[in-house]
Amino acid sequence: MRRALGILTALVLGVSGGLGWSAEPALKDPPPVVDASPHSSNFIEANGIRLNYLDWGDNGPPVVMIHGIGDDPHIFDDLANSLKGRFHLIAYARRGHGHSDAPAGPYDHTALVADLKGLLDALAIEKASLIGWSLGGNEITEFAGTYPDRVDKLVYLESGYDWSYPAFLNAFVDMLAVNAPAASDVASIDAFRDWYHAAWLGSDTPWSNGMEAYLRDLLRIAPDNSIRVVPSDATYGAILAEMAKWYRDYEKVKAPALVFYASSFFPVDRSDPAPSAKLKAFNEEVVAPFRATSMERVSSELKRATIKQFPNTTHMGIGIHDPEPLAKDIAAFLSAAH
């Protein structure tokens, strides 16, 4: 894990003096854009901190959506637009992310699960289905095992991986360095958008209104109009350190689960062939066998799980590329009797 954190430090400190923003009080939010997703943005006090959450309203069964490391709740905008009207959809910014508080710590499983419980308590939600994207699979697994009476169903959206496996986590952090933005990519919002689109979604995934709202929630603007990215360097390091120790106990989960896997992790259609080759090798030599092993483990230990793989999708693009068929499967699963 020390090796992984060393790579991360080199990554974030090697770009414009760091992508974090904790030492720059003059930073401000990007100019607002029209957010086409019909949600409100609110704050609640939970577990001693302030959490920002998006609420799509409606009177259907509650569904709480949890993003991954380095993301924010707007990552669900496009999927929520396809699910709205059938469920009461809520997505919140994990501590350290978006516009939620970013305490020095802790960022371990106890604190993060307590944040989720605090959110449900504050919103008077006795029982909900949970959707976890990427690292959000940690919270939904732990919460469902700890508070089974408060969970209806679980959806793992490219989150059926146990990040505590050192070989996978270290290889992933290596690829963060390969896939890192150059100094020119953080010179402006437009430059960062172009980089993010290519690095995480790929050219065949259109840039959506939801992704624009997502991008604006990630960024802060420096006095020279360059950008900084949330979470801060320190928060990122703290979360990664806890990821290495957070082993998932699927066998404690009693709720039915729908587990989606993408067909690759990173897009590889980059203009520079050098990173493309490394990312392709990571997809094929690291992720593919780990995905197969993860599917076997989920099938064995998560007793009421249904596994489905979406072709031609990436880790970040699975809920963006074509959200309608994904939403159809999720809606059918959440609506079915059990």
Short mmCIF file of all heavy atoms in Angstrom, two decimals, residues 234-259:
data_model
loop_
_atom_site.label_atom_id
_atom_site.label_comp_id
_atom_site.label_asym_id
_atom_site.label_seq_id
_atom_site.Cartn_x
_atom_site.Cartn_y
_atom_site.Cartn_z
N ALA A 234 -4.82 14.99 0.33
CA ALA A 234 -4.82 14.31 1.62
C ALA A 234 -6.01 13.37 1.75
O ALA A 234 -5.89 12.24 2.25
CB ALA A 234 -4.82 15.33 2.76
N THR A 235 -7.17 13.83 1.29
CA THR A 235 -8.37 12.99 1.37
C THR A 235 -8.23 11.77 0.48
O THR A 235 -8.57 10.64 0.87
CB THR A 235 -9.61 13.80 0.97
OG1 THR A 235 -9.78 14.88 1.89
CG2 THR A 235 -10.86 12.94 0.99
N TYR A 236 -7.73 11.97 -0.73
CA TYR A 236 -7.53 10.85 -1.65
C TYR A 236 -6.62 9.80 -1.01
O TYR A 236 -6.90 8.59 -1.04
CB TYR A 236 -6.90 11.36 -2.95
CG TYR A 236 -7.60 10.90 -4.20
CD1 TYR A 236 -8.04 11.81 -5.15
CD2 TYR A 236 -7.79 9.54 -4.45
CE1 TYR A 236 -8.67 11.40 -6.31
CE2 TYR A 236 -8.41 9.12 -5.61
CZ TYR A 236 -8.85 10.05 -6.54
OH TYR A 236 -9.47 9.63 -7.68
N GLY A 237 -5.50 10.26 -0.43
CA GLY A 237 -4.58 9.33 0.20
C GLY A 237 -5.20 8.58 1.36
O GLY A 237 -4.99 7.37 1.51
N ALA A 238 -6.00 9.28 2.17
CA ALA A 238 -6.64 8.64 3.31
C ALA A 238 -7.63 7.57 2.86
O ALA A 238 -7.71 6.48 3.45
CB ALA A 238 -7.35 9.69 4.16
N ILE A 239 -8.37 7.86 1.79
CA ILE A 239 -9.34 6.88 1.29
C ILE A 239 -8.64 5.66 0.71
O ILE A 239 -9.03 4.51 0.96
CB ILE A 239 -10.27 7.53 0.26
CG1 ILE A 239 -11.11 8.64 0.90
CG2 ILE A 239 -11.20 6.48 -0.37
CD1 ILE A 239 -11.87 9.48 -0.10
N LEU A 240 -7.60 5.90 -0.08
CA LEU A 240 -6.86 4.78 -0.66
C LEU A 240 -6.26 3.88 0.43
O LEU A 240 -6.27 2.65 0.31
CB LEU A 240 -5.76 5.30 -1.57
CG LEU A 240 -6.18 5.66 -3.00
CD1 LEU A 240 -5.06 6.38 -3.72
CD2 LEU A 240 -6.59 4.41 -3.77
N ALA A 241 -5.75 4.49 1.49
CA ALA A 241 -5.19 3.69 2.58
C ALA A 241 -6.26 2.79 3.20
O ALA A 241 -5.99 1.63 3.53
CB ALA A 241 -4.58 4.61 3.63
N GLU A 242 -7.47 3.31 3.35
CA GLU A 242 -8.55 2.51 3.93
C GLU A 242 -9.06 1.46 2.94
O GLU A 242 -9.48 0.37 3.36
CB GLU A 242 -9.69 3.41 4.38
CG GLU A 242 -9.33 4.30 5.56
CD GLU A 242 -8.94 3.53 6.80
OE1 GLU A 242 -9.38 2.38 6.97
OE2 GLU A 242 -8.16 4.07 7.61
N MET A 243 -9.04 1.78 1.65
CA MET A 243 -9.45 0.79 0.65
C MET A 243 -8.63 -0.49 0.77
O MET A 243 -9.14 -1.60 0.59
CB MET A 243 -9.29 1.37 -0.76
CG MET A 243 -10.34 2.38 -1.15
SD MET A 243 -9.92 3.29 -2.67
CE MET A 243 -9.86 1.97 -3.89
N ALA A 244 -7.34 -0.34 1.06
CA ALA A 244 -6.46 -1.49 1.16
C ALA A 244 -6.80 -2.40 2.32
O ALA A 244 -6.41 -3.58 2.34
CB ALA A 244 -5.01 -1.02 1.29
N LYS A 245 -7.56 -1.89 3.30
CA LYS A 245 -7.88 -2.67 4.51
C LYS A 245 -9.35 -3.11 4.57
O LYS A 245 -9.72 -3.84 5.48
CB LYS A 245 -7.56 -1.82 5.76
CG LYS A 245 -6.11 -1.42 5.89
CD LYS A 245 -5.83 -0.64 7.16
CE LYS A 245 -6.37 0.76 7.13
NZ LYS A 245 -5.99 1.58 8.30
N TRP A 246 -10.16 -2.65 3.63
CA TRP A 246 -11.60 -2.88 3.71
C TRP A 246 -11.98 -4.13 2.91
O TRP A 246 -12.27 -4.08 1.74
CB TRP A 246 -12.35 -1.66 3.17
CG TRP A 246 -13.81 -1.64 3.50
CD1 TRP A 246 -14.60 -2.68 3.87
CD2 TRP A 246 -14.68 -0.50 3.45
NE1 TRP A 246 -15.90 -2.28 4.06
CE2 TRP A 246 -15.97 -0.93 3.82
CE3 TRP A 246 -14.48 0.85 3.14
CZ2 TRP A 246 -17.07 -0.07 3.86
CZ3 TRP A 246 -15.56 1.70 3.18
CH2 TRP A 246 -16.84 1.25 3.54
N TYR A 247 -11.93 -5.28 3.59
CA TYR A 247 -12.29 -6.55 2.97
C TYR A 247 -13.80 -6.73 3.04
O TYR A 247 -14.41 -6.54 4.08
CB TYR A 247 -11.59 -7.71 3.69
CG TYR A 247 -11.91 -9.07 3.13
CD1 TYR A 247 -11.25 -9.54 2.01
CD2 TYR A 247 -12.87 -9.89 3.72
CE1 TYR A 247 -11.53 -10.80 1.48
CE2 TYR A 247 -13.16 -11.14 3.21
CZ TYR A 247 -12.49 -11.59 2.08
OH TYR A 247 -12.78 -12.83 1.57
N ARG A 248 -14.40 -7.08 1.94
CA ARG A 248 -15.87 -7.22 1.91
C ARG A 248 -16.32 -8.57 2.44
O ARG A 248 -15.81 -9.61 2.04
CB ARG A 248 -16.37 -7.05 0.47
CG ARG A 248 -16.20 -5.66 -0.07
CD ARG A 248 -16.90 -5.51 -1.40
NE ARG A 248 -16.61 -4.22 -2.00
CZ ARG A 248 -17.04 -3.86 -3.20
NH1 ARG A 248 -17.78 -4.68 -3.92
NH2 ARG A 248 -16.73 -2.67 -3.68
N ASP A 249 -17.32 -8.52 3.28
CA ASP A 249 -17.92 -9.74 3.82
C ASP A 249 -19.28 -9.93 3.16
O ASP A 249 -20.33 -9.56 3.72
CB ASP A 249 -18.06 -9.63 5.34
CG ASP A 249 -18.44 -10.95 5.99
OD1 ASP A 249 -18.79 -11.89 5.23
OD2 ASP A 249 -18.41 -11.04 7.23
N TYR A 250 -19.27 -10.49 1.96
CA TYR A 250 -20.51 -10.69 1.22
C TYR A 250 -21.46 -11.65 1.93
O TYR A 250 -22.69 -11.57 1.77
CB TYR A 250 -20.22 -11.25 -0.17
CG TYR A 250 -19.56 -10.30 -1.14
CD1 TYR A 250 -18.33 -10.61 -1.73
CD2 TYR A 250 -20.17 -9.10 -1.51
CE1 TYR A 250 -17.74 -9.76 -2.65
CE2 TYR A 250 -19.58 -8.24 -2.43
CZ TYR A 250 -18.37 -8.58 -2.99
OH TYR A 250 -17.78 -7.74 -3.91
N GLU A 251 -20.93 -12.58 2.69
CA GLU A 251 -21.76 -13.62 3.28
C GLU A 251 -22.71 -13.10 4.35
O GLU A 251 -23.67 -13.77 4.70
CB GLU A 251 -20.86 -14.73 3.83
CG GLU A 251 -20.11 -15.48 2.74
CD GLU A 251 -19.33 -16.67 3.26
OE1 GLU A 251 -19.04 -16.69 4.48
OE2 GLU A 251 -19.00 -17.55 2.47
N LYS A 252 -22.46 -11.90 4.86
CA LYS A 252 -23.37 -11.29 5.83
C LYS A 252 -24.59 -10.66 5.16
O LYS A 252 -25.56 -10.33 5.84
CB LYS A 252 -22.64 -10.23 6.65
CG LYS A 252 -21.61 -10.78 7.62
CD LYS A 252 -20.84 -9.65 8.31
CE LYS A 252 -21.76 -8.77 9.12
NZ LYS A 252 -21.01 -7.68 9.81
N VAL A 253 -24.55 -10.50 3.85
CA VAL A 253 -25.62 -9.81 3.13
C VAL A 253 -26.77 -10.77 2.88
O VAL A 253 -26.59 -11.85 2.31
CB VAL A 253 -25.10 -9.24 1.80
CG1 VAL A 253 -26.24 -8.63 0.99
CG2 VAL A 253 -24.00 -8.21 2.05
N LYS A 254 -27.97 -10.36 3.27
CA LYS A 254 -29.16 -11.18 3.07
C LYS A 254 -30.05 -10.67 1.93
O LYS A 254 -30.89 -11.40 1.42
CB LYS A 254 -29.99 -11.22 4.36
CG LYS A 254 -29.20 -11.64 5.60
CD LYS A 254 -28.54 -13.00 5.43
CE LYS A 254 -27.78 -13.40 6.70
NZ LYS A 254 -27.02 -14.66 6.50
N ALA A 255 -29.88 -9.43 1.54
CA ALA A 255 -30.74 -8.82 0.53
C ALA A 255 -30.43 -9.34 -0.87
O ALA A 255 -29.28 -9.69 -1.17
CB ALA A 255 -30.57 -7.30 0.55
N PRO A 256 -31.42 -9.39 -1.75
CA PRO A 256 -31.16 -9.72 -3.15
C PRO A 256 -30.26 -8.65 -3.78
O PRO A 256 -30.33 -7.47 -3.44
CB PRO A 256 -32.55 -9.70 -3.80
CG PRO A 256 -33.52 -9.76 -2.67
CD PRO A 256 -32.85 -9.13 -1.50
N ALA A 257 -29.42 -9.08 -4.71
CA ALA A 257 -28.48 -8.16 -5.33
C ALA A 257 -28.44 -8.37 -6.85
O ALA A 257 -28.52 -9.51 -7.33
CB ALA A 257 -27.08 -8.34 -4.76
N LEU A 258 -28.31 -7.28 -7.57
CA LEU A 258 -28.09 -7.30 -9.01
C LEU A 258 -26.71 -6.71 -9.24
O LEU A 258 -26.45 -5.56 -8.84
CB LEU A 258 -29.16 -6.49 -9.74
CG LEU A 258 -29.07 -6.39 -11.25
CD1 LEU A 258 -29.14 -7.77 -11.91
CD2 LEU A 258 -30.19 -5.50 -11.80
N VAL A 259 -25.82 -7.47 -9.87
CA VAL A 259 -24.41 -7.09 -9.96
C VAL A 259 -24.03 -6.91 -11.42
O VAL A 259 -24.01 -7.87 -12.20
CB VAL A 259 -23.51 -8.15 -9.30
CG1 VAL A 259 -22.07 -7.66 -9.23
CG2 VAL A 259 -24.02 -8.52 -7.91
#
